[in-house]
Amino acid sequence: MSSENFAHIAQGWDPDPGASMSLHADAYTQRRFFDVDREVIIGRSWQWLCHLEQLQAPGSYVAADIAGTPIVAVRDGEGHLRAFFNVCKHRAHQLLSGSGTTRSITCPYHAWTYTLDGSLRSARHTQDLKNFEIGSVCLDEVAIEEFSGFVFVNLDPRATSLATSSGELGAEIARWAPDVAELTFAHRLTYEIRSNWKNVVDNFLECYHCHVAHRDFVSLVDMDTYRVTTHGIYSSHMAEAGKNENSAYDVSSATVTDHAVWWLWPTTCLMRYPGRGNMIVLNIVPMGPDLTHETYDFFLETADPNEAELESIRYLDEVLQVEDIGLVESVQRGMQTAAFSQGRIVNDPAGSGLSEHALHHFHGLVLDAYRQSIDQTEEGH
C-alpha cells in the first residue's frame, strides 16, 4: 500500500470517535484494498481454527485455509500441538484435508510420508538421488496456540503470542464462560454474504441498528444494560438477557442469563447467548472485495441440542442472520455508488449499545495495520 492510498482511506478518521468519520468506501469495494487486507491483516493476525476438543487425541488433525494459504494443525505423539503449511516439500500437493486422526502425514500425490512433528520419514525411490537426505527435509511450521478452550493459528512467524497480545480477554472469557473448555461441538451454520468482510465486522460491532432492524433481539436482551468496551485488539459487549419472555426463543429454563460477546481482531466473534452453557463462534472469512464466508459453530453442554437450543439456532439462522445479511449486502451495494464515500461515527461516551465506538476502534486497528505495512515496505527499500 502506498502512502497516498493510506491517506485516502484514512481521511476524516479521528482518534476521538465523537469527531470521526468512518473508513473511506474504497476500502470496502476495491480489489487493491482487499488484497492488502488479506496479506497484512488476515495473514498477520491470530485466526480461529477450532475448539480444543478436535485436537485433543494424539494424531488428531484439522486442515484449513488461512488468507489463501493451506495449513494443518496436529497433535503429535508427544502431546504437542503443532501447525504446518499443508504443502508437500516434494511437489507442493496438499497433504491433509478436513479433520480426523492419523499416525503420519502421507502425501496423496507421491506418498512422501512425514511424522507428526513434520519430519520427512520416507520418500519413495529417492535412494539414488545426489545430495538428498531424507532427514534434512521438514514441513514449514506455523504459529499455533491454545487459548480459552480454542485453537488459533498465525501465519506471521514474528507474531506475539495471543495470550499476551489479547490482554485481559482470556480472564474475561474465564469469568463469563468458565465452562468453555468442557463444551462440545453441536451444530454449524454456513453463509455466503455478498459484502466485504469489514462491513460484516462493522455490523457486528454496533447495536445502534438493533432497535430498528432486530425487534426480536431487543426483546431478548435488556438494551438498558448493554455496554460496549474496547481494549487493545478486542472489544466486549455485555448485557443482561434471557430473564423474561421474549419473541426470539424460549429462555424459561435458561441457566445463562447474560449476553456476553467478544470480538477479537480481526475476524473472530465469541458469543454466549441466554440458555444452557454455550459458546457460539462466528468466524468471518474474507473471500473477495464483495464476498465473505461465515460459519457459526455452536458449542453446547451436549452434542445434541435440546428443544430450546434448537429453537435458538433456528432464530439465529432464520431471523437474526437473515436480517443482518440483508443489512450488510445493502450497505455494500450503497458503497459501490457515487452517493457515498464516508459516514459519521455515532458515539455515546457512556459506551452504551447505541454507540458505534467499537466500530471506530476496529477502523483504527485497520489503519494501524495499513500504516505498519507501509513502514515495513519503506524499511525494506
Side-chain angles (χ1 to χ4, degrees):
M1 174 178 286
S2 68
S3 298
E4 293 77 13
N5 283 339
F6 174 81
H8 173 61
I9 294 301
Q11 185 176 11
W13 187 88
D14 190 283
D16 178 2
S20 185
M21 300 290 285
S22 62
L23 298 178
H24 195 283
D26 286 350
Y28 296 78
T29 60
Q30 296 188 5
R31 163 64 66 171
R32 56 180 170 156
F33 292 108
F34 172 78
D35 291 340
V36 172
D37 287 350
R38 195 154 79 157
E39 178 184 351
V40 307
I41 294 179
I42 309 303
R44 299 180 189 175
S45 59
W46 287 99
Q47 296 290 307
W48 181 82
L49 182 64
C50 64
H51 192 281
L52 189 58
E53 70 172 350
Q54 280 192 270
L55 289 169
Q56 286 283 27
S60 55
Y61 70 88
V62 173
D65 188 276
I66 304 295
T69 300
I71 65 98
V72 62
V74 301
R75 180 76 68 176
D76 69 19
E78 302 299 317
H80 300 299
L81 195 58
R82 300 178 180 274
F84 308 100
F85 288 96
N86 193 13
V87 176
C88 184
K89 302 298 285 186
H90 174 223
R91 294 274 297 282
H93 196 282
Q94 181 172 315
L95 295 164
L96 294 169
S97 60
S99 60
T101 304
T102 185
R103 294 183 178 179
S104 59
I105 302 172
T106 300
C107 180
Y109 195 8
H110 299 100
W112 280 33
T113 300
Y114 304 83
T115 63
L116 296 180
D117 68 4
S119 302
L120 182 64
R121 187 174 69 191
S122 64
R124 298 165 51 247
H125 305 296
T126 58
Q127 63 273 13
D128 295 324
L129 298 183
K130 297 178 181 178
N131 302 316
F132 177 78
E133 296 181 7
I134 287 178
S136 66
V137 179
C138 198
L139 298 177
D140 294 332
E141 293 204 49
V142 172
I144 188 168
E145 189 168 339
E146 300 177 18
F147 181 79
S148 294
F150 296 104
V151 178
F152 290 78
V153 293
N154 195 323
L155 298 181
D156 184 358
R158 300 168 297 179
T160 303
S161 78
L162 181 54
T164 299
S165 61
S166 63
E168 296 300 311
L169 176 59
E172 281 195 32
I173 295 173
R175 176 190 170 192
W176 292 92
D179 56 351
V180 63
E182 284 72 52
L183 300 175
T184 189
F185 175 77
H187 193 73
R188 167 171 280 194
L189 299 172
T190 303
Y191 307 94
E192 295 291 335
I193 304 173
R194 300 300 308 183
S195 177
N196 185 270
W197 72 277
K198 294 190 292 297
N199 265 330
V200 177
V201 174
D202 284 352
N203 182 71
F204 183 86
L205 289 176
E206 53 93 354
C207 217
Y208 181 45
H209 70 280
C210 289
H211 284 91
V212 180
H214 300 316
R215 301 295 178 87
D216 299 305
F217 179 80
V218 297
S219 74
L220 173 68
V221 174
D222 182 354
M223 292 301 296
D224 289 338
T225 67
Y226 203 116
R227 291 294 177 270
V228 180
T229 311
T230 61
H231 325 250
I233 62 168
Y234 77 98
S235 58
S236 57
H237 309 245
M238 306 295 183
E240 296 178 8
K243 297 183 178 180
N244 303 298
E245 286 189 19
N246 66 85
S247 58
Y249 61 89
D250 178 23
V251 294
S252 59
S253 60
T255 54
V256 173
T257 55
D258 289 293
H259 178 67
V261 171
W262 300 269
W263 167 78
L264 172 63
W265 163 262
T267 54
T268 302
C269 307
L270 306 173
M271 301 177 283
R272 190 164 171 94
Y273 267 62
R276 288 198 301 172
N278 71 92
M279 185 68 84
I280 308 165
V281 181
L282 164 56
N283 190 32
I284 299 169
V285 183
M287 301 298 291
D290 60 355
L291 182 63
T292 299
H293 179 77
E294 269 190 354
T295 57
Y296 273 75
D297 284 311
F298 293 77
F299 299 94
L300 307 174
E301 293 180 11
T302 58
D304 296 318
N306 63 25
E307 186 55 41
E309 288 164 339
L310 289 172
E311 189 179 341
S312 70
I313 291 170
R314 284 193 294 269
Y315 162 68
L316 284 168
D317 184 32
E318 299 175 10
V319 179
L320 191 60
Q321 272 296 93
V322 171
E323 293 166 345
D324 275 330
I325 291 173
L327 293 172
V328 298
E329 289 187 341
S330 177
V331 168
Q332 187 70 27
R333 291 190 296 270
M335 284 187 167
Q336 292 169 332
T337 71
F340 183 85
S341 59
Q342 289 174 286
R344 187 63 186 260
I345 297 294
V346 174
N347 181 58
D348 175 5
S352 75
L354 301 180
S355 178
E356 296 178 323
H357 62 286
L359 181 153
H360 171 266
H361 170 245
F362 167 54
H363 291 180
L365 291 174
V366 170
L367 293 175
D368 285 345
Y370 288 173
R371 188 181 298 107
Q372 289 171 16
S373 73
I374 295 171
D375 293 342
Q376 291 171 1
T377 299
E378 291 177 348
E379 289 174 4
H381 292 161

